[in-house]
Amino acid sequence: MTNLLWLYDLSDFWFCLIVVGATSFVGVAGLVPARILLKRYLYKTGHKNEVVSYFLAAIGVFYGITLGLIAIGSWEQFSDVQSNVSDEAAIAGSLYRDLSQFPEPARTRLHDELRQYIVATIEKSWPGMQRGENPREVTELLSRFTDHLGAFEPASAREQVLFAEVQRQLNRMTEMRRRRIEAIASNMPGAVWVMVYAGAFINIAICWLFMIDSFRLHALLVWKMSALIGLLLFVTLELDRPFRGDLSIGPDAFKLVHDDIMMAPDQVPRATARGDK
């Protein structure tokens, strides 16, 4: 599977075209020698298309159900990772707002460091994840923010409660981040892919066993079957790598938090002034 990672660097159009083209080529190219062997060994031995149809229907049902379940599982994993990314960004926004209640100079310093981390996540983490990497410098920014937050000493009961809440939010964000990093290398085991590819070949090979006088008609039917299997393989491949390819999870949630919360005018002084009154 790792040998196919270069496909994710292509656009969806070319990715789909290559996968569907490969399965179609196997189907149509294999039909030529298959028909020669059929005419030589099977056409005179009571060969019946009905028997082949029964086997194709049975094997096709089993393979279709299996591949469908795999595709659904890949989609559920993709959705879980996407939801995790959204939650991580939302927690980062909540954390930034909670830090607005910290006294100076801790508030400005922690705001700046959290903003730098979010910017680095957008500009460095995501390109790295699309290559299957986790940039170390982004982790260092989060570690620096965590160290400076841990060094803060609450001076009142209110600050103690606020500090505890901020620590809780940071722990949740760190947990979500760890799940996101783990999803970079998360994919189906090789044994599953062997079953998927072998099942695809078996279904295509069964289509070769039909007795059809017209080669063009036979080739057209095999091509349609092969193209459909190729489309299913393309969707499964795309969903298997949530951070790679055109159909990948982007940093939109983090950009929204950065633009709407972290770059918004600071409302804390006016809120504090109202509280003082």
Side-chain angles (χ1 to χ4, degrees), residues 251-263:
D252 297 341
F254 285 91
K255 290 180 180 178
L256 184 63
V257 168
H258 177 266
D259 296 341
D260 287 359
I261 298 178
M262 297 184 175
M263 298 304 293

Side-chain angles (χ1 to χ4, degrees), residues 70-250:
I70 291 174
I72 292 173
S74 298
W75 170 250
E76 289 179 349
Q77 180 185 0
F78 184 93
S79 299
D80 290 342
V81 175
Q82 190 172 38
S83 177
N84 181 82
V85 169
S86 298
D87 291 343
E88 182 186 355
I91 293 172
S94 299
L95 178 59
Y96 190 88
R97 289 189 180 277
D98 289 343
L99 289 173
S100 298
Q101 306 300 319
F102 272 43
E104 293 290 1
R107 179 176 66 202
T108 299
R109 180 178 64 186
L110 292 173
H111 266 175
D112 290 342
E113 291 179 351
L114 181 57
R115 189 185 300 111
Q116 290 173 12
Y117 166 71
I118 295 300
V119 171
T121 299
I122 297 171
E123 297 180 353
K124 296 181 180 180
S125 280
W126 243 264
M129 290 190 300
Q130 290 174 345
R131 298 189 301 269
E133 303 170 355
N134 177 29
R136 179 65 183 174
E137 54 189 307
V138 182
T139 304
E140 293 174 353
L141 287 173
L142 180 60
S143 299
R144 185 176 65 182
F145 171 79
T146 303
D147 293 341
H148 288 165
L149 178 62
F152 175 77
E153 296 183 2
S156 64
R158 176 180 178 278
E159 289 183 1
Q160 289 178 355
V161 174
L162 180 61
F163 180 70
E165 174 63 17
V166 168
Q167 287 280 26
R168 186 182 70 84
Q169 295 279 25
L170 177 60
N171 289 336
R172 289 185 61 201
M173 187 182 76
T174 303
E175 179 184 353
M176 296 296 180
R177 179 180 184 273
R178 187 180 301 112
R179 293 179 183 177
R180 170 167 58 85
I181 299 304
E182 290 175 353
I184 296 176
S186 176
N187 60 290
M188 288 191 298
V192 176
W193 282 114
V194 170
M195 185 275 297
V196 169
Y197 294 139
F201 179 79
I202 290 173
N203 277 269
I204 294 174
I206 292 179
C207 294
W208 297 339
L209 300 179
F210 283 98
M211 287 184 178
I212 301 177
D213 294 334
S214 172
F215 174 79
R216 292 182 179 181
L217 176 60
H218 200 174
L220 178 62
L221 295 175
V222 172
W223 173 77
K224 289 184 176 181
M225 183 69 168
S226 304
L228 176 59
I229 292 176
L231 287 172
L232 293 174
L233 289 177
F234 163 71
V235 172
T236 306
L237 284 166
E238 276 277 41
L239 295 177
D240 189 46
R241 301 277 179 169
F243 293 113
R244 307 197 69 161
D246 283 353
L247 186 66
S248 61
I249 301 172

